[in-house]
Amino acid sequence: MHDRSGDNILPRRDTSWGRRLREPRRQGAIIAAYFAQFLKSRMSYRVDFVIDLTANLFSLGVQLTVLTVLFGKIDALRGWSYEQVLFIYGFSLLPLGLFNLVGVNLYNFSEQYIIEGNFDRVLLRPVNSLAQVMFSSFGINGLNELVLGSAVMIYAGGRYGLSFSAVDIMLLPVFAVSAALIFAGVFLGLTSVSFWFEDRMGLAPPVYNVIRFSRYPLTIFHPLVRALLTFVLPFAWVAFYPAAWFIGGEEFRLLALLTPLVGILTFTLAYVVWTRGSRRYTSTGS
Amino acid sequence: MEPLIRVENLCKDYQVTRRREGVWGGVVDLVKPRREILRAVDDVSFEIPAGEMVGYIGANGAGKSTTIKMLTGILTPTSGHVSVGGLVPWRDRTHYTRHIGAVFGQRTQLWWDLAVIESFHLLRKIYEVEEGAYRKQLDLFRELLGLDEFLHQPVRKLSLGQRMRCDLAAALLHGPRLLFLDEPTIGLDVVAKESVRVFLREIRDQLGVTVLLTTHDLGDIQQLCRRIVIIDHGKVIFDGEIDELRSRVGDRIKLTIELREAATSASLADVTGTMPVIWRAGDGLVHEVEFSRRDVRSAEVIRAVVNDRPVHDLRIEEQDIEEIVRGIYRRGDAKATDAADEGQEAGDA
Ligand SMILES: Nc1ncnc2c1ncn2[C@@H]1O[C@H](COP(=O)(O)OP(=O)(O)O)[C@@H](O)[C@H]1O
Ligand SMILES: [Mg+2]
């Protein structure tokens, strides 16, 4: 007779090494597929797509012009040269761009997923819930910032007479990604708050404004602001400390090297809040 | 034998904010919101063995969806236990959801902007379905559900019935052993409803999938399930076979008699004499008489009337499940209202 005793048990989680090694590949393939579909569905609204692209190029041009005008008038800022200030600004755009590529989904998370109950669908799929939300659409505008930031850094670095060692070249993307993790962590933390308070908190916009501070040499600010940006909202690590590795004095070198640590810590902390929050998710009555 | 699904003393509370009326009320709400606890699922326990198709029924707001959401790992219970095949849905979520399928009639699981077939491809990647198994499964559903005509259309352009068929296929592509259906026929017309029912019967018989089906449409249940669980105000008020429900509530029969000559109910009551039947007041020509099949046979009642009066027409109606359930609701209501009165205030925190 057919043995049905196994029918009542679902397989345990496969914790073998084969599985563990395959898992990142699966997640990678899913993200790639999401991205392909995103492009496809964007292109299906062809007119929108062209308008978007044009608008992006236009805004890129405007930003470059504003920058030239703005920094053309400044020679130095409390001991920081024009080139140094510009370099920090350029670097700050890298993590911002990286974050914007996937972080756009966090901005309207509360409305889209919690209030409308679409988080149900996310939780029904055997994929990490945060990854599903983050990669559900992509902020192509982020590419603007990456291009703009790199251009500004190359320009400023060139005028400053900066020479990159092999280590520097390896550290640059590490710093950029770590700094992006800080952004992601801060906004993820703010987003997760909406699991506790259903009404939209509107905390993100003011915090987003604080980002602006991160684009200037930290030493020009009052010590209180400096401490705040270093320890509370760690935006100092988003641009100034890592950028100072390349153009700053010796005193910032150690702090710069801490950037990855701060990035991982911030993000991990936020992820814990997110996980706790998801357990409180109540869906919607139909 | 260990059941596939085991639910023990499951409870779910929602915190609801009750808005005050008027402009001033709105201001007061901002400062001091009135929060209350609503117990949507209240001490629910049941077990489902592998291979069964069970109907989970109740009126709107009874707590059906909330239960299904806890069983699928979407919601974390306030208290109680759920174990499905030895896994705890919300705790083992990313692993557990590989083995189940779920369809929520109110909300599609598919990607709004993508063509149906592209949604399926994505799901294949997500669930790591082997190419061969995927083909086989897809072919089966294309045939059973007639998907071909809209497989290449974006989901947003589908009718509700078409969308539901796609959702059913999507939920089963990865060959889950369990299927949760929350109101799969809601809003569908008669034809679409029927095709969903036929499909569910097919997969139950062909694939042996265990199904928990939520509905407030009793037609679904009558055609698909032998066993039903009825909940009302979050509490289980019946768990058993439909036949058992019938006999428990009393297998009532209603006989409608149309006479050739007008008569009063009282005079007709004399005709049936000591038989345990109840005559409803009629308008003279048309009368209704009710009795339980256990007490008296319909043939006897009919013979008594026909022998005494000229009868024009006769109609026998068995009470349908809807009425049976309504009878149970009425009893359940009394209990549930008491419980609601005891609901606590959540405080102002
Ligand atoms: N997310 C929610 N927040 C607050 N109350 C809810 C929520 N979901 C459901 N409810 C309430 O819980 C009760 C049960 O709802 P539900 O489980 O959706 O019932 P059913 O599916 O049987 O219609 C209802 O009173 C409903 O208003
Ligand atoms: Mg419901």
Side-chain angles (χ1 to χ4, degrees), chain A residues 14-29:
Chain A
D14 184 356
T15 50
S16 68
W17 278 104
R19 175 80 239 173
R20 284 184 204 188
L21 292 175
R22 217 161 51 239
E23 194 54 15
R25 248 200 13 227
R26 178 177 78 107
Q27 309 258 357

Side-chain angles (χ1 to χ4, degrees), chain B residues 3-266:
Chain B
L4 181 57
I5 299 178
R6 182 203 291 282
V7 174
E8 273 171 344
N9 310 108
L10 190 63
C11 296
K12 180 69 190 180
D13 292 346
Y14 290 116
Q15 203 179 61
V16 288
T17 316
R18 266 239 300 258
R19 306 239 179 256
R20 294 175 178 87
E21 280 172 28
V23 179
W24 177 242
V27 176
V28 178
D29 274 345
L30 274 180
V31 183
K32 199 178 170 210
R34 260 197 305 204
R35 296 220 178 85
E36 280 171 17
I37 300 284
L38 173 87
R39 177 148 286 197
V41 169
D42 192 357
D43 200 27
V44 164
S45 304
F46 58 83
E47 292 179 354
I48 298 178
E52 238 186 81
M53 188 179 262
V54 175
Y56 196 63
I57 68 177
N60 266 326
K64 304 183 295 292
S65 298
T66 304
T67 310
I68 296 279
K69 283 173 188 168
M70 286 191 277
L71 285 171
T72 48
I74 293 173
L75 295 183
T76 311
T78 304
S79 64
H81 300 282
V82 174
S83 153
V84 183
L87 299 175
V88 178
W90 57 92
R91 202 193 55 204
D92 305 320
R93 191 188 69 75
T94 50
H95 169 64
Y96 170 71
T97 46
R98 278 169 177 267
H99 303 288
I100 63 165
V103 174
F104 289 83
Q106 321 264 13
R107 172 175 285 136
T108 180
Q109 304 303 312
L110 301 168
W111 286 264
W112 203 238
D113 283 330
L114 297 191
V116 176
I117 189 72
E118 277 168 354
S119 276
F120 289 174
H121 282 317
L122 266 185
L123 290 171
R124 183 174 100 73
K125 285 220 171 70
I126 290 175
Y127 290 95
E128 290 182 295
V129 188
E130 303 279 332
E131 183 67 40
Y134 171 76
R135 279 275 140 239
K136 217 178 101 199
Q137 205 81 339
L138 186 59
D139 287 345
L140 176 68
F141 298 147
R142 271 167 50 186
E143 188 200 313
L144 288 179
L145 291 164
L147 301 180
D148 284 341
E149 35 174 328
F150 44 81
L151 213 47
H152 293 279
Q153 280 186 30
V155 174
R156 70 187 133 88
K157 290 197 176 156
L158 301 183
S159 74
L160 191 58
Q162 294 173 329
R163 208 209 73 201
M164 189 59 64
R165 285 188 268 166
C166 293
D167 259 311
L168 281 168
L172 289 162
L173 270 181
H174 55 290
R177 299 236 305 273
L178 267 145
L179 183 61
F180 295 97
L181 301 166
D182 192 14
E183 308 264 10
T185 56
I186 197 161
L188 299 187
D189 61 43
V190 185
V191 181
K193 251 183 202 169
E194 190 51 30
S195 73
V196 167
R197 287 174 191 162
V198 169
F199 174 73
L200 291 178
R201 255 200 311 266
E202 271 318 302
I203 59 143
R204 178 193 57 191
D205 299 341
Q206 282 193 30
L207 307 176
V209 181
T210 308
V211 180
L212 183 63
L213 167 78
T214 275
T215 184
H216 64 253
D217 185 327
L218 288 145
D220 294 344
I221 299 294
Q222 262 163 322
Q223 292 189 24
L224 295 169
C225 313
R226 268 231 321 269
R227 176 175 160 208
I228 56 176
V229 175
I230 305 179
I231 66 162
D232 187 43
H233 289 85
K235 283 187 188 299
V236 173
I237 56 173
F238 178 84
D239 181 350
E241 310 230 321
I242 294 183
D243 294 342
E244 185 194 327
L245 181 65
R246 272 220 181 84
S247 66
R248 192 205 278 197
V249 178
D251 214 347
R252 297 202 72 79
I253 298 219
K254 189 167 80 182
L255 188 63
T256 309
I257 301 168
E258 202 180 315
L259 301 171
R260 286 186 200 280
E261 292 161 19
T264 61
S265 328

